Amino acid sequence: MYLELLTRYRNYVATVEYKRTGAHGNDKEKDVLPSFTRVYTNWEKCDSRGMRARIAGRVTPSSSQIGGDIMELIELPSRFQQITAIACSQESGNILVCSHRTLCLYQRVTRTHDISRLKFIDFETWPVTLELSYSPTRLSICEDLVAASNSDSLHVFRINKGFARPTDWTTTASSSASSSPRKNGNDCNKDGEKINTDADSLLGEACKGIISSSSSILSTLSSIRCSLRNNYPELRVPPFKPPASVAMTVNIKEIPVNEPWAEQMTSMIESLLQLELWDAEGERAKDAIVCVALRPLYKISAFQSSKQESSCPRLRSHAYNTLVAFNCLVCTRLQGFMYHFPVEDGLVTSVGKCISEYNFTSLVKHIILQPYLLHAVTQTGLETYTLRSIHAIEEDRQEHLFHCGIFCFSDSGIQTIYSLRLSSTGTVYTDLLAVASLHTFTSPFVYCQLLSEAHSVLRTAISVTDNVHWENQLMEPCDSELYRESCALLSEYYLTRNTEAEWILGYEYSQLAGLEPTQLMERLKRFEQEANQCEVLLDSAPGLTYYLRTWIVKCGDDSRKLSAAALSALQHLTSCVTIEDGGCLLSSLVLQSPLLRQFSRDKTIKIITEHVNKNSSQKISALDCLAMTVLFSSKGKNSDAENALSLCTDSTSNMVALLIEHWPLLFDNTRNKNQVTADDWEGVTLSDLSVLLIEKKPIAMAETLTLLVVKEQTLHLQHILQVFLTYLPARMCTSTSGIAAVLQRFLEGIFNSWIQNDNSWNPNRDCDLSASDALKILMRSLLSDLIRNDRFIKEQEETWEEAKNFFGGKRYKYLDMLPPLSFGERENSQHIGLLKLQCLLCTGWLEGSSLSEMVQFVEEFVAGDLGYSLLILSQPEKAVELLARDHPNVLPQYTKDVLKSEPELKHIIATLQSKADEEEAGEKEEKVYSQILDEVIAAIAASVPCDVFSRIVPADAQQYATAECRNTGAHSTHLSDVIKATGHRMMATLNIKSFT
């Protein structure tokens, strides 16, 4: 008889029974005699009161037969003559039956009696059979996963019963989990007596014939030892064939549905794992698969959605939406392989991956899985190992496996295990911690490994469970307390190590433990004292410094999160620590933490000042100077802040990098005292630090703002304009200031960067209103530079050549022929502002209103020679007349640089022809305009085709036009002949037939 025990739903057993032909049947008769699949509910009530019997799905019990304490037999309408294997789902109550290579599923359902409205258990036939490629001898079903295996092969596949999307089964309601003990209340009979329905506890039923003992075995793990095979053991090559050489199939066959309530459906099989053993080689005997265990892992969360059973798919339990993984343990005679199947949103996201390997000391007979431990019953004893499920779920790589304990059986006689009481989580943790404590200072690596293993046991217990009814259970309070204690111990260990990677782990574990800084400091102090008693020197200062640094930055300006003692300790620890750029570590924390900037500022300033004086022979770090400036500004001591900033001898690039990193210090929020963020810009203004930087470090300030917008993309152009316009009016004025100079340099950097990144950038094309406003402000700022008092000359960094390449370097060449540059003042630094304005006007970015404003301003305030080129650029419709009147010699170059269309070319020729005619009628001997006209016509002839040229040039100049075109045409014909001749010679050399 095959026996499978179902524990999660109603208390029943499913059996496969055979009829005997006589009083003394034998096992061989099972291969030929018919078999029956039967389910016994209330099976613990087997007594003299008898038993009710019915056929599943065909006979409905009467009202008087429903309920009660009488055992009930439900026979499944099997379609098979011979049943070779059976399995029950511990999650859904479904029964899987196998006949040689054919699988059939019976779905457990709860029906309601038509008259009494009482509920009763029933089973309906799944209208699909599955044909495997081999005959399995063992079956496992877990949710919608099936594992079928024999001694040679294993196939794990998922049955997807036509589900279109995960929302078909996920829950939408939200309710908090009910509170009840970790024991399942449904496992008690009517008299309140505890019924042993745990399959793990009844291990002995599957292990008869191994060893005999009338008493139960308690796996207390009193003797624990670490597997010391290797610090980084490589997994052995499994005894299975490569996946590419294994091809297992599952064929789906639909069967007629006679039951009126049965549903027609389509099913899909998703293969997840296919294993096949290698054949025997030489004298080596072929291995065999002896055990297979399939189990789910559900995520334990504070809130569990509730859902009625009728709304869940029949193959899945109500807890399927909390499923995070499946595990499948495959054991050969001496080895075990754990395969992991991650689940996300109801979908298995990858095929099976072997996450750990176990090497047993003796032949395996049976295995039991806990979420965190593997128990293997072998021929010689009980072996226990840790699992790696939680590491695979949380993608936390850890290579070590631990052989936690072994219980050896007696050598005398044949013994049988009738029950196995598994250790609690707290017991396993306590035992592992006891052994780890022996190596705390003598072998820190072993101590860390054992402590990490103990922590993993607790982390698994509070994170995942294999119990589908976990929402009706509560985690033991001691598990949570022990988990926090394990996190605290790991935090102590890692914070006393030597690398930043280990300090990061130490900080993370301290947060999981819920330790306050003062608590952690006390623990580290006590840990150091224990090390000193063992004559081991530990220095927790670097790790504690990292911890306090990270804590103070993350707690922001909330003074409740950090005590004065912790802040004082942080000041002391960081006072003598110098970071890479030579600055003081405390200075870095001052810039990062609003809380530290408010705590004991005088003491902080004193510490930083002492650090600066101690390193006065070297360069004074921008970090220290900026930190002192911030502290003095926060105290209202502006003169001291200026002095601190002037001490800096560091490079501008280092100062800019610091300002970018701590950019919120540059702004204040007038609405509240919270730190400024880019998402909330209302009421933001320049801080005292910004005003001081504008006065003392304008170049660094402007470059910082530019990079924040262009490179870091932390802020937007509109943000900066909004802040600066509170200091600099948008209307034109005749004076400037340091704030205006920084704004101008900032805008220059913005537009230079944008045009360098995209040569086709144009605010008019992109309809960028903020850019248009910024261009207007930049134009006004550059114009104001032209009328400044000579005593105030703005600091310039750009050379003449650099300024000529501003805004894409589109400046026209003819501008060099206009005053004041034509007067030999081309390299005069006072004209760099004019050069930038010319470059800006040549881009075509300015709107018509801005050009009109420029013309009006230049005519009223700018000297004639200085503003002449600006009038030419801002009035293209009058440029030809102005140049013909004042600087006709510029017109040929102007024609080459600017004029492109036929109307523009006709206009300049007509203008010069008129001037030439007036010149002919006059008495001047020098014919200037006639010569200029010739040069302009020559320039046009060299740049346009002959037919276009003929349309542009007037009739009275046709003689010159004909000669010019003739010269141009002759030159083109000569070039064509040269190209053809060269091509013919090349083809002759290559022995290729000419195409002409």
Side-chain angles (χ1 to χ4, degrees):
M1 181 179 71
Y2 292 94
L3 175 64
E4 189 76 16
L5 185 63
L6 183 65
T7 62
R8 303 306 184 192
Y9 279 82
R10 296 183 184 272
N11 200 15
Y12 70 77
V13 293
T15 66
V16 177
E17 302 178 10
Y18 305 91
K19 286 185 178 180
R20 293 186 177 181
T21 56
H24 303 285
N26 53 58
D27 291 339
K28 293 183 179 180
E29 293 177 352
K30 296 179 182 180
D31 297 333
V32 296
L33 295 179
S35 54
F36 305 91
T37 306
R38 291 171 178 170
V39 174
Y40 296 88
T41 64
N42 297 324
W43 60 276
E44 78 282 1
K45 299 297 182 181
C46 182
D47 51 25
S48 59
R49 286 178 291 180
M51 176 178 65
R52 294 192 297 257
R54 60 185 170 92
I55 300 176
R58 297 180 181 177
V59 178
T60 302
S62 63
S63 299
S64 61
Q65 293 176 328
I66 299 176
D69 297 333
I70 300 177
M71 184 169 65
E72 184 179 18
L73 182 151
I74 305 174
E75 184 170 325
L76 303 182
S78 176
R79 301 178 182 274
F80 306 126
Q81 181 72 13
Q82 297 293 328
I83 298 176
T84 56
I86 186 174
C88 290
S89 171
Q90 303 293 310
E91 295 74 36
S92 62
N94 298 330
I95 297 177
L96 188 64
V97 175
C98 175
S99 177
H100 302 293
R101 295 168 55 184
T102 305
L103 302 182
C104 183
L105 182 69
Y106 295 90
Q107 296 177 328
R108 176 198 174 277
V109 295
T110 302
R111 303 193 188 280
T112 303
H113 197 275
D114 294 338
I115 300 175
S116 65
R117 310 307 297 173
L118 296 176
K119 296 184 180 297
F120 63 93
I121 294 177
D122 204 357
F123 294 86
E124 65 180 31
T125 305
W126 193 39
V128 167
T129 60
L130 305 177
E131 298 287 338
L132 305 183
S133 56
Y134 61 93
S135 298
T137 57
R138 287 177 299 271
L139 288 179
S140 297
I141 180 171
C142 174
E143 295 281 5
D144 53 0
L145 246 66
V146 175
S149 64
N150 56 19
S151 61
D152 298 325
S153 306
L154 168 69
H155 193 185
V156 179
F157 55 89
R158 176 173 174 260
I159 303 175
N160 186 352
K161 196 183 102 172
F163 302 132
R165 54 191 181 277
T167 54
D168 291 340
W169 56 266
T170 54
T171 61
T172 56
S174 178
S175 64
S176 60
S178 60
S179 60
S180 62
R182 182 169 273 255
K183 304 298 181 182
N184 194 336
N186 294 330
D187 295 342
C188 298
N189 60 14
K190 191 173 183 180
D191 298 330
E193 297 174 354
K194 183 68 178 66
I195 301 172
N196 192 357
T197 61
D198 193 343
D200 298 347
S201 302
L202 297 176
L203 172 66
E205 292 298 327
C207 303
K208 288 183 179 179
I210 304 177
I211 334 185
S212 71
S213 174
S214 59
S215 60
S216 63
I217 297 175
L218 174 61
S219 176
T220 58
L221 310 183
S222 56
S223 175
I224 306 172
R225 62 186 179 87
C226 174
S227 176
L228 298 177
R229 292 176 298 168
N230 200 322
N231 287 340
Y232 297 95
E234 298 292 337
L235 297 181
R236 297 180 183 177
V237 178
F240 304 110
K241 295 180 181 179
S245 64
V246 180
M248 299 179 183
T249 59
V250 179
N251 296 323
I252 303 174
K253 294 184 179 181
E254 294 194 12
I255 58 179
V257 180
N258 297 323
E259 296 81 355
W261 57 80
E263 53 181 330
Q264 293 284 357
M265 62 180 142
T266 58
S267 299
M268 181 178 67
I269 301 300
E270 181 183 357
S271 181
L272 299 178
L273 180 64
Q274 298 182 13
L275 298 178
E276 186 175 343
L277 292 172
W278 287 103
D279 297 330
E281 297 180 1
E283 298 180 356
R284 179 183 175 184
K286 185 176 182 179
D287 209 339
I289 298 175
V290 296
C291 295
V292 175
L294 186 65
R295 61 100 182 261
L297 289 175
Y298 303 95
K299 185 71 174 179
I300 299 176
S301 58
F303 298 97
Q304 163 64 12
S305 302
S306 61
K307 194 170 186 181
Q308 297 298 324
E309 179 184 345
S310 59
S311 63
C312 294
R314 298 283 178 81
L315 294 180
R316 298 175 174 178
S317 69
H318 66 282
Y320 201 91
N321 60 329
T322 62
L323 187 66
V324 292
F326 289 102
N327 284 159
C328 182
L329 180 64
V330 184
C331 291
T332 58
R333 290 189 175 94
L334 290 172
Q335 287 182 287
F337 304 90
M338 178 65 78
Y339 288 88
H340 182 77
F341 306 89
V343 177
E344 184 176 349
D345 294 333
L347 299 176
V348 180
T349 57
S350 68
V351 297
K353 176 184 178 182
C354 185
I355 59 173
S356 54
E357 175 189 336
Y358 302 89
N359 298 297
F360 305 111
T361 61
S362 183
L363 297 178
V364 177
K365 292 298 182 180
H366 196 76
I367 52 176
I368 291 295
L369 285 178
Q370 288 181 277
Y372 44 84
L373 290 178
L374 160 64
H375 306 279
V377 178
T378 67
Q379 283 187 339
T380 59
L382 173 66
E383 302 181 19
T384 301
Y385 300 85
T386 57
L387 297 180
R388 285 293 168 269
S389 301
I390 191 65
H391 301 85
I393 291 173
E394 300 182 0
E395 298 181 352
D396 179 16
R397 183 181 179 185
Q398 188 169 349
E399 298 289 346
H400 301 82
L401 291 174
F402 284 81
H403 182 187
C404 293
I406 182 169
F407 182 90
C408 297
F409 297 136
S410 172
D411 295 334
S412 59
I414 299 177
Q415 301 179 1
T416 301
I417 299 178
Y418 287 99
S419 64
L420 175 66
R421 183 157 57 93
L422 301 177
S423 299
S424 66
T425 308
T427 302
V428 177
Y429 171 77
T430 303
D431 288 348
L432 284 169
L433 184 60
V435 179
S437 301
L438 301 175
H439 306 278
T440 306
F441 304 112
T442 57
S443 181
F445 179 79
V446 175
Y447 168 75
C448 177
Q449 292 301 314
L450 288 168
L451 183 57
S452 299
E453 201 65 34
H455 169 76
S456 297
V457 170
L458 294 171
R459 183 171 60 156
T460 305
I462 68 172
S463 301
V464 296
T465 179
D466 57 358
N467 186 355
V468 71
H469 290 289
W470 63 263
E471 73 275 10
N472 295 325
Q473 302 175 357
L474 280 181
M475 182 175 54
E476 295 291 342
C478 62
D479 288 354
S480 299
E481 295 176 3
L482 292 176
Y483 174 75
R484 289 192 292 270
E485 177 62 21
S486 68
C487 292
L489 292 174
L490 285 169
S491 178
E492 289 178 3
Y493 171 80
Y494 283 115
L495 288 176
T496 55
R497 307 310 295 168
N498 303 319
T499 65
E500 185 172 346
E502 291 171 310
W503 301 338
I504 293 174
L505 288 175
Y507 177 82
E508 292 175 352
Y509 279 121
S510 71
Q511 298 304 297
L512 293 174
L515 294 176
E516 295 294 328
T518 52
Q519 295 174 323
L520 182 68
M521 292 165 62
E522 292 175 359
R523 294 183 70 101
L524 289 177
K525 182 178 180 181
R526 185 169 59 251
F527 195 63
E528 282 188 347
Q529 292 174 351
E530 294 174 358
N532 292 334
Q533 293 175 1
C534 297
E535 299 181 353
V536 175
L537 181 61
L538 282 182
D539 183 13
S540 63
L544 180 59
T545 302
Y546 175 85
Y547 166 82
L548 292 174
R549 286 172 54 191
T550 308
W551 179 278
I552 197 172
V553 171
K554 292 187 177 182
C555 73
D557 56 356
D558 191 350
S559 59
R560 297 170 298 177
K561 295 183 178 180
L562 206 60
S563 64
L567 287 170
S568 179
L570 182 61
Q571 282 183 328
H572 174 72
L573 289 169
T574 57
S575 60
C576 56
V577 179
T578 302
I579 56 180
E580 294 180 358
D581 63 349
C584 181
L585 177 58
L586 182 58
S587 300
S588 177
L589 294 181
V590 166
L591 298 180
Q592 296 179 61
S593 171
L595 186 58
L596 194 58
R597 291 196 293 270
Q598 301 168 9
F599 175 78
S600 187
R601 286 175 289 195
D602 292 333
K603 181 179 179 181
T604 304
I605 292 174
K606 181 180 179 181
I607 293 174
I608 299 176
T609 303
E610 290 175 354
H611 181 272
V612 170
N613 294 334
K614 183 172 61 176
N615 300 323
S616 58
S617 59
Q618 305 173 359
K619 69 176 182 180
I620 299 178
S621 170
L623 177 63
D624 292 336
C625 294
L626 192 59
M628 288 192 294
T629 302
V630 170
L631 292 173
F632 281 125
S633 296
S634 64
K635 295 183 64 177
K637 297 182 177 181
N638 295 330
S639 59
D640 292 336
E642 291 182 11
N643 295 333
L645 191 61
S646 61
L647 292 175
C648 180
T649 58
D650 210 341
S651 63
T652 302
S653 60
N654 288 344
M655 176 65 75
V656 170
L658 278 173
L659 293 175
I660 291 176
E661 182 180 357
H662 307 288
W663 69 267
L665 295 174
L666 301 175
F667 306 97
D668 285 335
N669 194 327
T670 57
R671 293 187 299 111
N672 51 57
K673 295 183 179 180
N674 295 335
Q675 183 170 284
V676 173
T677 62
D679 298 330
D680 183 13
W681 204 254
E682 184 180 355
V684 174
T685 184
L686 291 174
S687 66
D688 293 338
L689 175 63
S690 289
V691 175
L692 187 58
L693 287 169
I694 287 171
E695 296 176 1
K696 299 298 180 181
K697 301 286 183 180
I699 296 177
M701 182 65 179
E703 186 176 349
T704 299
L705 296 176
T706 301
L707 293 177
L708 284 173
V709 174
V710 176
K711 183 178 179 181
E712 303 296 329
Q713 296 183 353
T714 305
L715 301 176
H716 300 288
L717 174 60
Q718 185 61 35
H719 289 159
I720 308 301
L721 289 180
Q722 179 180 338
V723 171
F724 270 89
L725 288 180
T726 60
Y727 290 89
L728 181 68
R731 295 184 178 273
M732 178 53 57
C733 61
T734 57
S735 63
T736 186
S737 64
I739 294 178
V742 170
L743 176 59
Q744 176 183 317
R745 187 178 291 275
F746 159 71
L747 293 176
E748 291 172 356
I750 289 290
F751 295 121
N752 277 325
S753 300
W754 281 352
I755 195 62
Q756 289 174 5
N757 296 334
D758 182 6
N759 290 331
S760 62
W761 181 84
N762 192 311
N764 302 319
R765 181 198 65 189
D766 300 334
C767 299
D768 192 341
L769 297 179
S770 61
S772 299
D773 293 340
L775 285 169
K776 185 178 293 185
I777 294 172
L778 177 59
M779 178 200 73
R780 292 171 178 172
S781 179
L782 290 171
L783 283 174
S784 67
D785 289 347
L786 298 180
I787 58 173
R788 289 174 307 167
N789 192 304
D790 292 341
R791 291 174 298 177
F792 182 84
I793 299 178
K794 184 169 54 179
E795 180 183 4
Q796 297 285 355
E797 264 200 347
E798 300 87 1
T799 64
W800 185 267
E801 292 300 324
E802 290 174 345
K804 285 179 63 176
N805 293 321
F806 264 42
F807 314 121
K810 299 178 181 180
R811 182 176 176 273
Y812 299 130
K813 294 181 180 179
Y814 78 89
L815 295 172
D816 290 337
M817 305 170 65
L818 295 177
L821 305 182
S822 60
F823 298 158
E825 299 181 4
R826 188 170 300 179
E827 301 297 330
N828 193 332
S829 61
Q830 293 184 1
H831 297 319
I832 286 184
L834 174 63
L835 196 64
K836 293 178 182 179
L837 260 176
Q838 292 176 349
C839 291
L840 179 61
L841 286 167
C842 291
T843 60
W845 294 343
L846 293 175
E847 298 175 343
S849 59
S850 300
L851 296 176
S852 300
E853 182 182 333
M854 175 178 287
V855 171
Q856 181 180 357
F857 182 85
V858 170
E859 290 177 347
E860 293 183 9
F861 300 104
V862 182
D865 291 340
L866 192 60
Y868 183 81
S869 62
L870 302 180
L871 294 175
I872 297 294
L873 289 170
S874 56
Q875 302 178 97
E877 71 282 357
K878 298 181 180 180
V880 173
E881 286 78 4
L882 292 175
L883 289 174
R885 184 193 66 190
D886 302 323
H887 302 281
N889 61 309
V890 179
L891 286 174
Q893 186 62 43
Y894 178 83
T895 302
K896 296 177 184 179
D897 293 346
V898 180
L899 304 182
K900 304 298 180 184
S901 65
E902 290 187 25
E904 292 175 339
L905 295 173
K906 287 181 179 180
H907 175 65
I908 191 173
I909 290 177
T911 302
L912 289 175
Q913 185 67 54
S914 176
K915 292 288 185 181
D917 293 343
E918 294 177 0
E919 196 176 47
E920 288 289 342
E923 299 179 355
K924 292 183 179 181
E925 298 181 358
E926 185 180 3
K927 307 299 180 182
V928 176
Y929 288 102
S930 299
Q931 182 181 355
I932 296 299
L933 177 61
D934 293 344
E935 294 178 4
V936 168
I937 292 177
I940 295 174
S943 59
V944 300
C946 289
D947 56 339
V948 176
F949 182 82
S950 300
R951 292 196 301 268
I952 293 173
V953 177
D956 53 359
Q958 285 296 321
Q959 180 177 2
Y960 180 84
T962 303
E964 191 66 34
C965 287
R966 188 186 308 115
N967 293 336
T968 305
H971 182 65
S972 300
T973 303
H974 174 68
L975 289 177
S976 177
D977 294 340
V978 171
I979 293 173
K980 288 181 180 179
T982 305
H984 292 161
R985 287 196 298 270
M986 181 180 294
M987 290 181 178
T989 303
L990 299 176
N991 197 19
I992 299 176
K993 185 177 180 181
S994 174
F995 55 87
T996 59

